[in-house]
Amino acid sequence: MNANKLYCIYAGTVRGAVAHVESRPDSDINFQLNDVEKSEIKSMHWGRSETEIIIGHQNGSVRLYNTLTNNFVQSLSNLDGDGGVCGLGVLDNSVLVARNSGVINIWSKNNVESFKLNLPDDSTLDCMAQNFNNYNVIATGGERNDLKLWDIETKSSIFKAKSMGHDELNLPIPTSVRGICFFNNENNLVSCATKEGHVLLYDGRVQRRPIVKFLEVKASYSAIACTYRDRQIVAGTTRGYIQLLDLRASKRCLRTYKSFTGGVTSLVCDISSPVVISTSLDRFVRIHDLDTKNLLYKKYMKQSLTQIVIKPIFKEEPKEEEKDSKFNNENVDAEFEEMFDQMETITEKSVKKRKKITESQVKHTKLKRISN
């Protein structure tokens, strides 16, 4: 791991507590349990400021967490819909809350707006992701619920993926979306991972069917996140490993990370470094190097982890003005030291000697004048 870059990690737990730790070997774990809501944390998202985290629970409640005080500060009320929270987002000063029943809430201090996705009876909403290239667009998916894109302003669907078709037995291929991610600087691309072992890449400008399909027959995907490279994602499985996938024309698995003893529950990548941070059912937080596959950090968190958000910590470097002033002071000090080293040490004897020499010189000068 880069010595100049550390991470502040906030992980949600099954018991509803938030675990806070820094990616230092000797860092202590700080737990903050919500005394009111002891339900499992199902979703976490950075809020409207750098110190705010939005936390959604299994029982449908949403609370705001302050990273400065490490405490829950507010609970969002009057939310519509039933079931747990499956996705969160931020739009200006409003908070987006998606619930399993298929209702999207737009919460603000003054009022709460909502709209329904009109899901079939046998479908649920299990995940929602916001497009960070265009905050007005969200993507949804779930159990027997294909990927869809929605416009928050118009509250209408702008893209609906077609089904995967039929298999060799002429049976419809089910699609149960478990994770969705958007790509950096790619407004029209979106990828999703399914319970059935598919990773799909969609481009709304081209067609409604996926332009790239990757299948892991023996795996069931549980989480997905985009890396800092173009069209590369990491996908976690219920069998306890992470895959780095290239979703360009090659559509192949580049690397596999296998240091887990439980299913992967959450993934997040650094947007500027080849690093992936993960949580799993074995209660560990891990940081892997995407290029070398090295395990850079591992911490036992004492509780079962469900969600994770991170914030990079950079070591403070002195400003240019401070560097210049320090450099000038060092030069000045060196010059003074050298000057003082070359000066003669004055004692009482030398002073008296100088005085005698001076008096004799004066007498000799007077006598010389008289003789002349």
Side-chain angles (χ1 to χ4, degrees):
M1 189 187 305
N2 188 349
N4 294 323
K5 195 169 187 180
L6 299 172
Y7 295 94
C8 190
I9 301 171
Y10 296 89
T13 67
V14 173
R15 298 183 181 179
V18 176
H20 167 227
V21 68
E22 292 184 357
S23 59
R24 308 173 191 268
D26 56 347
S27 178
D28 295 329
I29 306 173
N30 177 36
F31 285 97
Q32 182 60 42
L33 179 63
N34 186 357
D35 296 332
V36 180
E37 306 294 347
K38 296 183 180 180
S39 176
E40 176 183 351
I41 294 177
K42 300 295 291 184
S43 183
M44 297 177 69
H45 194 281
W46 283 107
R48 297 159 294 181
S49 65
E50 295 181 353
T51 61
E52 183 181 77
I53 301 177
I54 312 169
I55 299 175
H57 295 265
Q58 175 64 41
N59 61 3
S61 64
V62 179
R63 293 179 67 84
L64 304 181
Y65 182 89
N66 190 289
T67 59
L68 293 179
T69 61
N70 288 323
N71 199 4
F72 293 92
V73 294
Q74 186 179 357
S75 178
L76 307 190
S77 57
N78 300 324
L79 298 176
D80 295 332
D82 300 322
V85 177
C86 60
L88 296 166
V90 174
L91 182 63
D92 296 330
N93 291 323
S94 301
V95 177
L96 305 179
V97 181
R99 304 186 70 173
N100 291 129
S101 59
V103 177
I104 307 296
N105 292 270
I106 308 172
W107 181 93
S108 63
K109 293 183 178 180
N110 299 326
N111 63 343
V112 179
E113 299 180 7
S114 63
F115 64 96
K116 295 183 178 181
L117 305 183
N118 297 324
L119 301 178
D121 295 336
D122 60 344
S123 300
T124 60
L125 180 62
D126 293 330
C127 53
M128 184 272 282
Q130 188 176 17
N131 187 350
F132 45 79
N133 300 304
N134 183 3
Y135 289 99
N136 289 321
V137 176
I138 61 172
T140 61
E143 188 73 25
R144 297 185 180 276
N145 182 11
D146 289 328
L147 179 74
K148 298 180 182 66
L149 299 181
W150 304 82
D151 191 317
I152 297 298
E153 291 186 354
T154 61
K155 300 179 177 60
S156 61
S157 176
I158 58 177
F159 175 81
K160 181 179 180 181
K162 280 190 175 182
S163 63
M164 293 288 293
H166 294 73
D167 57 15
E168 297 176 354
L169 301 176
N170 201 26
L171 297 175
I173 300 174
T175 304
S176 302
V177 180
R178 290 292 179 266
I180 304 172
C181 70
F182 289 90
F183 294 86
N184 297 322
N185 303 320
E186 293 281 359
N187 190 30
N188 297 285
L189 292 180
V190 57
S191 180
C192 67
T194 71
K195 182 180 70 174
E196 294 79 17
H198 286 96
V199 174
L200 309 173
L201 177 64
Y202 292 92
D203 189 344
R205 301 167 298 180
V206 179
Q207 59 186 22
R208 292 172 55 193
R209 294 190 185 277
I211 59 174
V212 175
K213 292 188 292 184
F214 179 88
L215 175 61
E216 181 73 7
V217 179
K218 299 181 180 180
S220 176
Y221 290 112
S222 56
I224 189 173
C226 67
T227 69
Y228 77 106
R229 294 191 178 98
D230 294 338
R231 299 198 185 188
Q232 288 189 5
I233 61 99
V234 287
T237 67
T238 57
R239 301 189 65 177
Y241 60 89
I242 297 174
Q243 290 179 318
L244 174 62
L245 304 178
D246 189 347
L247 297 183
R248 288 174 290 189
S250 57
K251 55 180 179 182
R252 60 192 177 95
C253 178
L254 300 178
R255 295 176 187 87
T256 302
Y257 312 87
K258 295 182 177 180
S259 58
F260 303 86
T261 56
V264 179
T265 58
S266 181
L267 293 172
V268 61
C269 290
D270 191 330
I271 61 174
S272 60
S273 303
V275 168
V276 57
I277 299 95
S278 61
T279 60
S280 58
L281 294 178
D282 57 9
R283 302 185 178 185
F284 278 94
V285 169
R286 293 176 174 86
I287 301 179
H288 283 89
D289 189 306
L290 291 177
D291 295 334
T292 63
K293 301 198 328 185
N294 292 337
L295 181 62
L296 304 177
Y297 176 81
K298 181 180 178 181
K299 187 75 171 181
Y300 183 69
M301 302 294 285
K302 303 179 182 180
Q303 294 191 27
S304 298
L305 307 177
T306 58
Q307 295 291 321
I308 187 173
V309 293
I310 66 166
K311 179 170 62 176
I313 303 174
F314 296 93
K315 289 185 178 180
E316 294 185 359
E317 297 182 357
K319 298 180 181 180
E320 293 297 331
E321 297 178 357
E322 296 177 355
K323 290 181 180 179
D324 294 340
S325 61
K326 184 178 180 181
F327 179 75
N328 293 333
N329 290 335
E330 290 179 354
N331 291 341
V332 172
D333 294 340
E335 291 176 0
F336 272 107
E337 291 293 335
E338 183 179 359
M339 182 179 67
F340 281 113
D341 290 339
Q342 295 177 355
M343 292 180 66
E344 180 183 359
T345 303
I346 300 175
T347 61
E348 293 182 356
K349 293 182 179 180
S350 61
V351 172
K352 291 180 180 179
K353 187 176 181 180
R354 286 180 179 179
K355 286 183 178 179
K356 290 180 180 180
I357 293 172
T358 305
E359 291 176 357
S360 62
Q361 288 178 349
V362 171
K363 290 181 180 179
H364 178 71
T365 305
K366 288 183 179 179
L367 290 174
K368 190 175 182 179
R369 288 179 179 176
I370 294 171
S371 63
N372 292 334

